[in-house]
Amino acid sequence: MLNYTVQRLIQAVIAIFGVLTIVFVVMHLSGDPTLLLVPQDASAEMIAELRRQLGFDRPIWVQYLDYLYGLAQLDFGMSVVQRVPAFDIVASRIPYTVQLAAGALVVAIGVGIPAGIIMATMRGSAIERFLAAVVVTGQSVPTFLSAILLIFIFGVTLRWLPTSGAGEFRAMIMPSIALGALSMSTFARMTRIAIIDELSKDYVRAGLARGLSLGETVFRHVLRNASIPVITIAALEIGNLLAGAVIIETVFAWPGIGQLAIQSIQARDFLVVQVIVLLISFVYVLTSVLADLVYVVVDPRIRLVR
Amino acid sequence: MKLKLATVAAVVLGLMASAAFAQTKETLTIDLPNDAATLDPHLQWNTDSYTVYRNIFDNLLTRDTSGKIVPQIATEWKYDGDKTIIFKIRDDVTFQDGSKLTAEDVAFSMNRIIDPALKSPQLSQFDQIEKAEVVDPTTVKVTTKSPYPALLAQLVKLSIVPKSYVEKVGDQDFNLKPMGSGPYKMVEWKKGIQTELEANDKYWRGNPPFKKVVFRAVPDVSTRIADLKTGKADLIREVPPDQASAIESDSNTKLLAGETERVGYLYINAEAGPTKDVRVRQAIAYAIDKQGLVDALLEGYGKPVNVVGAEPIFGYTDAVEGYPFDPEKAAQLIKEAGAEGATVEFLTSPSYPRALVEAIQQMVNEVGLNVTISSSDQATFLKRRQGDAENAGGMAFGAWSCACQDADGIIFPLFRSGSIWAKYKNEKYDALVDEARIILDEQKRKELYAQAYEILREDVPGLGLYQVYALYGVSKNLQWQPTANEAMFVMDMSWQQ
Amino acid sequence: MIASARAFTQRLRRVPLSVIVVSILLTIIIVLAVFAPLVAPADPNNQTLLARLKAPGFTYRGVTYWLGTDDLGRDLLSRTLYGAGVSLGVAVLSVIVSTLVGVSLGMLAGWFRGWTETIIMRLVDIMMSIPAILLAVLTVAVLGPGFLKLVLVLGLTRWPRYTRVAYAQTLQVSNLPFIKASELAGAGAVRILFHHVLPNIAGPILIVATAEFGLMILMESGLSFLGLGIQPPAASWGSIMSVGRQYLERAWWIVAVPGVCLFLLVFSVNVLGDWLRDQLDPRSRSR
C-alpha cells in the first residue's frame, strides 16, 4: 500500500514536471511579450533593448534552466506585464475560482445525485424519461450559450440577478448554474449506474425478498455503497470545474483563474501561465491519486497496477 | 433696486444649483475592458491602466477641452535656446501624504522614466529628453537631445510622482500602493477585479465630484452594456457603434460620442507582394467606400478622412484630396498592373473590428484582387506586422492615436522608413518628416506635413479611412465631455439628478 | 422474405423512438451540411451592407432572407448551412486524428510493454493533467487559427483518452488464447494488432469516439466563440454565435439559429452515443 502510494506520487511529480516543460516550450514558441509591452511608436532598437532587459533574447534552454533554478527555490518569477510576483497574482484569484467551483459543484450534486437516484429507482416511468432528457440537454448546451441566455433572461430582461462581477452571493448564481450543468449530467449518470449496479446485487435481492421496501433498501444500504464511485467522480470533477471555467469566467467577468489564464496567454505573460498550469495540474494529479487510493482502500481486490 | 433683484436671482440660482449638487452620488462605478496592468504611472501605458492611474496623479501639463496644451503642475514654460526648456512649478501642491510637491519631484519623475534600470515600456515616448535638472524649488530645466517640437505634447502624458515616497518604498511597492498629488487616493486594488479610489479632500484644484470611484474590469462588451443598463455601472468605455442605439434608446442611459484624434487607417505593404506595385495600392484606395463603411458599420459614429490623420492633430491638412470611391477606376488600375486575382493577405487580430475587416475584404475583392484574411492573436499579429516586409501581409487595419495630437506621432512611426511599422521607403518623404521633427517653427512644420501628406497620397503606403468617435455609455445623470485624446479624468465629471 | 422483414421490424421496434428521431435529425443535418452549396439560397459570404441585422423573412431587392441577416447583411440561412460543414468537419476530422494517434499508441503500449509502455503512458499522464481547453488556447497561439490547424489542435490534445482505453483493452485481449496461438505461429506484431487486436477492441473505442465527437463540436464552438476558430469570412456555428452575442437584443436570431442547430446536433449525438454504448458494452446491456 505504502509502496503503491510512493510509486503513484513519483509518477505524479514526473507528470507535473512534464506538463511544465511542454507548456514552457509551447509558450516560448509563440513569441514573447515585448511587442505587446512597448508603446506603438517604439523603435526597433528600443524593442530589442527591452527584450534584452527582460531576458527574452537568451536561448530557450537558458531561459528554461533559469526558470527551473528559480522553481527549485520556490521562486515562481515576476509577471513582466504587472511587475508583481506571478505567484501573488494567481493566488489572489484562487478564492474566486474556488467559490465558483464550489457553487457549480453544489448545483451539480444538488441536482445530479437526486436525479440519478430517481432515474435508477423509477426505471421506465415518465419522470425517468423526463430526467434523462434533462441530463442529455445539460450535456448538449455549450456553456457559453447557456451563459448568454441566462444573462439575457435574468440579468437584462428580468433584472433579477447581477450580470457580472464577484463579491456578492447573487452574482454567483448564474455562473454556477452555467458551469455546473455539464457536471450535473455526469453526476446524474454516474449515480444512476452506481445504484443500478448495487440494486442487481444479491443482498438487495435478498432484502427485497425478505419484504423490505425498495425505498428502505435504497436509503439504508444502496446509497452508502453506491456513494464510493460517486465520490471518486466528484474528486475528478473538481479538476474539470477549475479548468472548465475559462469561457464562463470571461462571459461573466468572474475574476478567477480561467479568465486570468486566457488573458495571460494572450499577453504572453509566461510565468503567470506557468503558475496556473502548475496549480491546475497539481490539483488534477492530486485528485486522481486520491481517487485511486480511495478505490484501493474500499476494494482491496483492485490490482495495484495501471 | 435692479441690482438687488439680480443679486437675489443669482443667489436663488446658486441655491438651486447647489441643491442639484446636494443630491450627489457617493460612488461612481466605471466598467473598463480590463484591469489596470500597473498603477505605477511610469510603467504600462495602455488605456485601461492610465484611465485609472491618471486620476491618482497630476500631470506636468494637460489639455483643455479644445485640445490646447495648458498648465497643470507647471504654471509656465519658455524655451531657452532650441534644446532647453524651463518650467515654473506650482508651489501650492501637496502629495496625498501631506508632503509638498517641488521641482525635485518633477525632475525625478522625468529622470526616472528615462532611466533604463526602470525598464519602462514608455521609454520611447520620452527618450528625446536628455536630462531634467532642478534650478530652484519651483524651477526645472529640461534638455532634449535635439530640438524637439513634440516635447510639450509628450509631457502631457507625464505623471508627477513623489520622489521621497518612491525612494522610500521602492519601485515594486510603489506600483502596488501608488501615491500622488491627484484628486483621488488609492484605497484598494483587487488585481484583475477592481480598483477603488477615494476622494483627496485636500486636492488643490477643489473637491473631487465623487467620494469614491470604482474601476471594474469587465472584459465582455455585452456584459458591460448589461451592467450599464442595470445600473451596476455608471460609465462604460468602448461601446461598439452597433450598440449605440441600444444605449440611446434606454431611458436611464445616454451615449457620449467624443470626436478623437484617433484615425482608422489601412496599411498597405509597399515593399512586398502584389501591393508593391503602386497602381495596386491606388486601386485599393479607390475600391473602398469610406462613407459606406462609416454609415453602415459605424452607424455614422465616425467621419471619413482624406489623409492618415484626423482634424484635431497638428499638421492635419484639408488641402490634400482624398481618394473618391471609384470601383471602375480601381478595376482598371488592377488590370493595368496585371494583378487580377492576385492574392493579398489581410492581417488582423481579435483586437480589431472584424466586421470592418470583412467589409473591406469584399470591397477590394470586387475590383479584382483576392483578399484572404489571416486573423491571429495580437502578439502574433504584431510580430508579423512589425517584422520583415516579406512576411508582413498585404494589408492590415489599424486605429492610431499617439495621444499627442501631432502628425509627428502618427505618420512618422507609420511610414518613416526604418520604423517598425513602415513597409515603405521614399527618401523625399523621410527628409520632410525628419525636418518637421526637429524645428520649432509651427508654420514651417505645417507646410512640411502638407507636402509629406501629398507624397503619401501619391504612394499610398497607407490609407486614412475615418476619424474615430470614442463612444461611452453613461448613466443619464452623469455630466462629462469626452476629449480628443480619450483621457478620462473623473475630476471633469459631475452628477446631476 | 416475410420472416426476415418481420425480424427487421421487430429489431426496429426494440430501438427506442428517441433514437430513431435523433438518427433522422442527424441524417438531415449531415445531408444539409454536405449539400450546403446546392441547398443554400445565397453565397454565405456575400455582404449587403444596407441589409444588416434584418429579421427573418426580410425581403430586400427581391431577395428574401428566411432566417434574417447578420451584421454584414449576409444570409444567415446560407451561413448556417455552410457553417454546419465546418463544425461537423472539424469534429469528424479531429476525432479521426485523435483516434488514429491515440489507438496506435495505446496498442503499442499494451502490446510491447516495457519502456514503450512507460514512455507512452507517462506522456498520457502528462497530457491528461493539462486542461484540454487551456492546451488548445496555447497551441492556437503558436499555430494560429484556421480549419486544418483547428483539427490538429483538437486532435492532438484529445488522443490520450483513446490511448487509455486502447491500452487497457489490448492488455486484456493480448492474453486471449487465440492471440497467444497466432503469436506462437510466428505472426508479426503489426499483423496481430491489426487483424486480431483491433477488431476486438473496436467496441470500447467507438464508445469513446462518440462521446468525444459531441465534445469536439462543443470545443470547436467554444474556441470559435473566443475568437480562436477558423478564419473569417468562413464561419462555423460557434463563430456565428460569437458575432451574434453582441446583437442579442437587436438581432437575437444570429445567436438563436446556430445555437438551436448546435444544440440539436450535440443532443442527437449524445442520445445516439448513449444508445450505442448500451448496445456495445456488455456490462451495461442489462440496464
Side-chain angles (χ1 to χ4, degrees):
Chain A
M1 180 69 208
L2 185 70
N3 209 353
Y4 172 72
T5 313
V6 170
Q7 193 190 335
R8 257 327 246 120
L9 285 176
I10 291 173
Q11 281 174 12
V13 171
I14 295 175
I16 291 178
F17 186 74
V19 168
L20 283 182
T21 309
I22 290 181
V23 172
F24 189 93
V25 172
V26 173
M27 282 297 302
H28 280 74
L29 286 180
S30 69
D32 69 50
T34 322
L35 295 180
L36 293 167
L37 291 174
V38 296
Q40 54 191 7
D41 54 358
S43 68
E45 299 81 59
M46 245 163 252
I47 292 172
E49 174 61 19
L50 185 65
R51 179 170 287 136
R52 199 187 57 73
Q53 288 171 354
L54 298 173
F56 292 118
D57 60 334
R58 299 170 299 167
I60 182 167
W61 59 271
V62 176
Q63 295 184 47
Y64 181 63
L65 290 180
D66 193 37
Y67 173 67
L68 289 186
Y69 182 71
L71 208 56
Q73 303 165 36
L74 285 184
D75 173 8
F76 297 93
M78 296 276 275
S79 153
V80 289
V81 177
Q82 302 188 20
R83 305 284 176 98
V84 176
F87 186 81
D88 295 0
I89 295 177
V90 178
S92 70
R93 304 293 190 99
I94 291 176
Y96 295 95
T97 293
V98 170
Q99 267 178 39
L100 183 56
L105 210 58
V106 167
V107 170
I109 291 178
V111 180
I113 291 185
I117 296 175
I118 294 171
M119 277 157 67
T121 50
M122 303 177 72
R123 291 165 71 191
S125 66
I127 191 165
E128 189 225 342
R129 258 178 258 147
F130 169 74
L131 285 175
V134 170
V135 167
V136 186
T137 305
Q139 241 184 334
S140 310
V141 183
T143 48
F144 60 86
L145 183 60
S146 44
I148 44 184
L149 281 181
L150 286 171
I151 290 186
F152 187 62
I153 297 172
F154 297 104
V156 177
T157 310
L158 298 173
R159 304 203 170 179
W160 289 353
L161 294 169
T163 41
S164 74
E168 51 174 331
F169 175 72
R170 281 165 4 111
M172 243 177 80
I173 298 175
M174 290 200 287
S176 300
I177 293 174
L179 182 61
L182 191 63
S183 297
M184 181 272 289
S185 298
T186 315
F187 275 105
R189 281 159 178 274
M190 289 303 153
T191 311
R192 172 177 166 270
I193 292 176
I195 290 181
I196 290 177
D197 252 357
E198 284 300 312
L199 285 178
S200 66
K201 286 188 178 157
D202 289 343
Y203 77 92
V204 176
R205 287 165 198 251
L208 288 177
R210 276 208 320 271
L212 277 173
S213 76
L214 180 65
E216 231 174 320
T217 323
V218 168
F219 280 99
R220 284 242 179 105
H221 308 287
V222 174
L223 277 189
R224 190 172 358 134
N225 291 332
S227 66
I228 290 139
V230 174
I231 289 171
T232 324
I233 296 297
L236 294 177
E237 278 300 307
I238 290 172
N240 285 335
L241 287 175
L242 289 183
V246 168
I247 291 173
I248 293 293
E249 290 184 356
T250 308
V251 176
F252 284 101
W254 188 269
I257 286 176
Q259 191 199 54
L260 180 68
I262 292 277
Q263 286 169 352
S264 305
I265 290 174
Q266 279 168 358
R268 301 290 189 274
D269 202 347
F270 297 149
L271 295 176
V272 176
V273 178
Q274 293 285 97
V275 176
I276 295 173
V277 167
L278 183 70
L279 183 78
I280 295 182
S281 57
F282 184 73
V283 173
Y284 254 60
V285 171
L286 199 70
T287 47
S288 75
V289 170
L290 283 179
D292 278 9
L293 292 180
V294 168
Y295 261 141
V296 175
V297 170
V298 168
D299 187 354
R301 285 165 303 168
I302 292 173
R303 284 197 307 155
L304 291 181
V305 285
R306 297 181 64 231
Chain B
M1 188 63 204
K2 243 182 186 172
L3 199 114
K4 248 187 186 163
L5 241 172
T7 323
V8 171
V11 169
V12 169
L13 275 175
L15 277 175
M16 280 165 71
S18 61
F21 273 110
Q23 287 177 308
T24 196
K25 197 172 147 79
E26 283 276 302
T27 307
L28 181 77
T29 308
I30 300 176
D31 269 14
L32 303 174
N34 287 296
D35 181 32
T38 64
L39 288 184
D40 179 339
H42 292 170
L43 294 178
Q44 291 290 318
W45 179 261
N46 59 50
T47 322
D48 294 315
S49 300
Y50 67 64
T51 300
V52 180
Y53 65 61
R54 293 182 92 192
N55 287 297
I56 303 176
F57 296 90
D58 280 318
N59 301 293
L60 187 64
L61 309 166
T62 191
R63 283 182 193 272
D64 63 12
T65 42
S66 70
K68 206 168 140 268
I69 295 178
V70 293
Q72 192 164 52
I73 291 298
T75 51
E76 55 186 312
W77 52 90
K78 63 170 194 289
Y79 275 94
D80 178 20
D82 268 0
K83 295 193 282 187
T84 310
I85 185 166
I86 311 262
F87 290 95
K88 274 279 173 213
I89 307 298
R90 293 189 80 94
D91 71 345
D92 59 346
V93 179
T94 53
F95 285 109
Q96 287 152 6
D97 66 352
S99 63
K100 203 164 156 57
L101 186 153
T102 66
E104 285 285 347
D105 300 298
V106 174
F108 173 75
S109 297
M110 286 190 211
N111 292 326
R112 178 171 186 255
I113 208 162
I114 58 174
D115 180 0
L118 187 68
K119 302 180 197 172
S120 171
Q122 292 181 58
L123 181 58
S124 63
Q125 298 180 333
F126 298 99
D127 70 315
Q128 287 300 316
I129 298 174
E130 172 98 36
K131 58 176 188 281
E133 295 155 292
V134 178
V135 177
D136 64 51
T138 58
T139 315
V140 172
K141 186 169 99 178
V142 179
T143 318
T144 55
K145 291 174 180 165
S146 56
Y148 184 52
L151 178 68
L152 293 178
Q154 297 290 14
L155 287 178
V156 168
K157 297 183 263 184
L158 182 80
S159 297
I160 306 301
V161 301
K163 180 179 181 213
S164 57
Y165 180 74
V166 174
E167 283 175 345
K168 192 179 84 196
V169 300
D171 287 341
Q172 194 175 327
D173 271 5
F174 178 60
N175 180 27
L176 295 174
K177 298 187 198 74
M179 192 273 289
S181 60
Y184 283 91
K185 298 189 263 199
M186 199 200 57
V187 179
E188 194 187 8
W189 182 15
K190 289 188 195 156
K191 277 189 150 298
I193 302 154
Q194 62 177 44
T195 316
E196 207 181 303
L197 307 184
E198 182 188 72
N200 167 13
D201 12 285
K202 300 195 184 77
Y203 188 51
W204 61 278
R205 282 197 292 157
N207 261 341
F210 303 94
K211 275 241 156 57
K212 267 168 65 177
V213 180
V214 178
F215 293 93
R216 308 189 327 141
V218 183
D220 190 82
V221 64
S222 319
T223 315
R224 285 203 295 279
I225 292 171
D227 283 352
L228 178 71
K229 289 190 165 189
T230 53
K232 233 178 128 63
D234 305 305
L235 167 57
I236 62 171
R237 211 166 64 73
E238 277 185 27
V239 176
D242 279 319
Q243 305 292 321
S245 60
I247 288 172
E248 276 186 314
S249 62
D250 196 310
S251 60
N252 291 318
T253 60
K254 63 185 179 187
L255 185 83
L256 298 180
E259 299 182 10
T260 67
E261 58 174 297
R262 192 176 289 277
V263 60
Y265 71 98
L266 190 70
Y267 135 81
I268 310 175
N269 192 335
E271 290 188 319
T275 50
K276 200 172 172 181
D277 188 323
V278 68
R279 288 170 295 187
V280 175
R281 299 202 298 276
Q282 287 170 343
I284 292 173
Y286 280 119
I288 294 170
D289 178 7
K290 299 175 197 168
Q291 192 65 53
L293 290 178
V294 168
D295 289 346
L297 296 183
L298 305 184
E299 312 246 331
Y301 293 108
K303 196 160 107 192
V305 287
N306 53 338
V307 294
V308 186
E311 268 180 55
I313 63 161
F314 179 90
Y316 170 83
T317 169
D318 54 10
V320 174
E321 200 190 330
Y323 281 84
F325 174 48
D326 190 345
E328 275 110 63
K329 186 145 189 189
Q332 192 197 328
L333 280 165
I334 298 275
K335 218 171 270 168
E336 278 172 29
E340 292 140 298
T343 302
V344 177
E345 198 182 5
F346 196 154
L347 300 187
T348 187
S349 87
S351 311
Y352 303 103
R354 176 204 45 83
L356 200 76
V357 169
E358 286 187 64
I360 292 173
Q361 177 195 31
Q362 168 151 321
M363 286 174 180
V364 178
N365 276 346
E366 269 167 13
V367 301
L369 290 172
N370 172 29
V371 178
T372 55
I373 295 176
S374 289
S375 176
S376 51
D377 72 357
Q378 186 69 4
T380 315
F381 168 81
L382 288 178
K383 203 162 137 190
R384 291 194 59 190
R385 172 71 181 83
Q386 300 178 347
D388 286 341
E390 290 301 324
N391 196 29
M395 306 195 279
F397 172 81
W400 191 282
S401 165
C402 59
C404 64
Q405 284 166 252
D406 195 300
D408 176 65
I410 303 179
I411 60 172
F412 189 91
L414 274 181
F415 304 120
R416 167 71 169 83
S417 69
S419 147
I420 50 173
W421 299 93
K423 305 291 170 264
Y424 167 64
K425 187 172 173 68
N426 180 324
E427 275 161 18
K428 215 171 129 205
Y429 171 81
D430 288 356
L432 287 168
V433 290
D434 283 352
E435 191 187 349
R437 173 163 257 226
I438 52 163
I439 57 168
L440 300 176
D441 179 346
E442 295 200 346
Q443 198 47 45
K444 180 81 175 116
R445 289 189 76 219
K446 271 192 180 152
E447 280 162 25
L448 292 171
Y449 283 126
Q451 289 174 47
Y453 271 124
E454 191 56 48
I455 296 177
L456 290 182
R457 187 207 120 83
E458 200 54 44
D459 289 351
V460 220
L463 179 72
L465 297 173
Y466 59 89
Q467 176 188 16
V468 175
Y469 290 4
L471 298 183
Y472 306 86
V474 302
S475 153
K476 67 170 193 304
N477 299 319
L478 188 77
Q479 306 297 322
W480 178 52
Q481 169 74 51
T483 57
N485 58 5
E486 298 166 72
M488 198 186 266
F489 293 111
V490 176
M491 197 62 194
D492 300 336
M493 301 176 190
S494 64
W495 193 262
Q496 233 136 23
Q497 291 290 355
Chain C
M1 183 72 191
I2 293 170
S4 72
R6 189 180 294 157
F8 180 71
T9 35
Q10 255 176 2
R11 223 183 307 147
L12 251 190
R13 225 173 255 158
R14 257 182 280 134
V15 178
L17 182 67
S18 59
V19 173
I20 297 176
V21 172
V22 299
S23 308
I24 295 173
L25 208 62
L26 204 57
T27 317
I28 294 176
I29 294 177
I30 293 172
V31 168
L32 287 178
V34 172
F35 294 104
L38 299 177
V39 188
D43 176 351
N45 298 330
N46 187 44
Q47 307 165 5
T48 311
L49 291 185
L50 293 174
R52 306 173 65 225
L53 306 170
K54 296 299 182 197
F58 172 80
T59 305
Y60 178 77
R61 292 196 185 158
V63 182
T64 303
Y65 299 95
W66 293 110
L67 293 180
T69 63
D70 72 357
D71 65 335
L72 285 163
R74 297 176 289 206
D75 180 33
L76 194 60
L77 173 59
S78 306
R79 281 183 81 68
T80 308
L81 285 169
Y82 275 85
V86 175
S87 293
L88 278 173
V90 169
V92 168
L93 291 178
S94 58
V95 165
I96 290 177
V97 169
S98 46
T99 311
L100 285 180
V101 175
V103 172
S104 334
L105 288 177
M107 288 200 305
L108 288 177
W111 183 257
F112 288 110
R113 312 293 301 267
W115 58 267
T116 320
E117 178 193 24
T118 312
I119 292 179
I120 291 177
M121 295 320 285
R122 286 299 78 77
L123 195 59
V124 167
D125 282 352
I126 292 172
M127 295 294 287
M128 297 277 277
S129 31
I130 312 179
I133 184 97
L134 267 194
L135 193 60
V137 172
L138 257 174
T139 355
V140 171
V142 178
L143 293 176
F147 183 88
L148 286 178
K149 288 170 184 166
L150 212 52
V151 169
L152 271 183
V153 166
L154 292 179
L156 294 182
T157 45
R158 300 298 291 192
W159 59 266
R161 272 141 252 267
Y162 300 85
T163 308
R164 281 214 169 150
V165 175
Y167 165 72
Q169 296 291 320
T170 309
L171 275 186
Q172 263 181 22
V173 171
S174 61
N175 287 324
L176 293 178
F178 80 96
I179 288 188
K180 288 271 174 222
S182 53
E183 198 182 359
L184 286 177
V190 176
R191 197 184 146 76
I192 296 178
L193 285 177
F194 265 90
H195 285 251
H196 302 300
V197 177
L198 195 55
N200 274 292
I201 66 172
I205 298 288
L206 194 64
I207 293 173
V208 178
T210 39
E212 283 286 299
F213 182 68
L215 265 178
M216 285 300 98
I217 297 173
L218 292 181
M219 284 267 282
E220 185 277 332
S221 64
L223 282 176
S224 294
F225 187 73
L226 292 173
L228 302 169
I230 61 160
Q231 293 288 1
S236 75
W237 289 346
S239 65
I240 299 176
M241 288 161 80
S242 157
V243 168
R245 168 172 63 148
Q246 300 176 31
Y247 303 105
L248 213 50
E249 279 176 84
R250 235 177 118 181
W252 51 269
W253 50 91
I254 305 179
V255 166
V257 172
V260 168
C261 293
L262 189 66
F263 168 68
L264 288 178
L265 174 63
V266 182
F267 187 86
S268 306
V269 170
N270 283 340
V271 169
L272 208 61
D274 283 355
W275 179 75
L276 209 61
R277 173 171 22 219
D278 287 349
Q279 301 303 304
L280 289 173
D281 186 351
R283 223 168 66 91
S284 69
R285 190 167 291 166
S286 58
R287 292 165 200 156

